[in-house]
Amino acid sequence: MSRNRRPLVPGSREALDLLKARLQNVNKPEQAKYKVADSLNIPLSHGYNGQLTSHDAGKIGGELGGSMVKELIRSAQIALTANDSAGENKQTT
């Protein structure tokens, strides 16, 4: 099964990369996967990683993607709460 790795929203790649870097406290998005691999004790190196199992690669990607999804949901909940509060304030005035 092939994967489409393009974001659903055109032009959102840069924002997603910045989020990935921010969540992992790194300067560049490319560094995020190495930081996650290091924290999971997975030997990820720059360049060829033929020794890496799909299980270990999935752990790295799952950690990165999972933290990004959690942050996006948290941000959406905050925005919805703010919108609800703004709507309640308009109704009471």
Side-chain angles (χ1 to χ4, degrees):
M1 175 169 119
S2 67
R3 287 189 173 180
N4 180 355
R5 298 201 181 269
R6 288 178 291 159
L8 288 175
V9 177
S12 64
R13 170 61 64 199
E14 185 178 341
L16 290 170
D17 284 345
L18 291 174
L19 174 63
K20 183 189 309 181
R22 182 173 57 88
L23 291 175
Q24 296 302 321
N25 293 323
V26 294
N27 294 327
K28 296 180 181 178
E30 307 85 47
Q31 296 171 331
K33 64 183 174 184
Y34 299 105
K35 185 169 182 181
V36 169
D38 187 50
S39 71
L40 297 173
N41 294 320
I42 296 173
L44 182 67
S45 59
H46 296 277
Y48 180 71
N49 283 286
Q51 81 292 351
L52 197 64
T53 65
S54 58
H55 182 263
D56 285 344
K59 282 183 178 179
I60 296 168
E63 182 75 24
L64 281 172
S67 62
M68 291 174 68
V69 168
K70 286 178 189 174
E71 179 62 20
L72 290 170
I73 290 171
R74 189 186 69 74
S75 296
Q77 288 173 330
I78 290 170
L80 288 171
T81 302
N83 285 343
D84 286 347
S85 297
E88 289 174 8
N89 290 338
K90 287 182 181 178
Q91 290 175 355
T92 58
T93 55

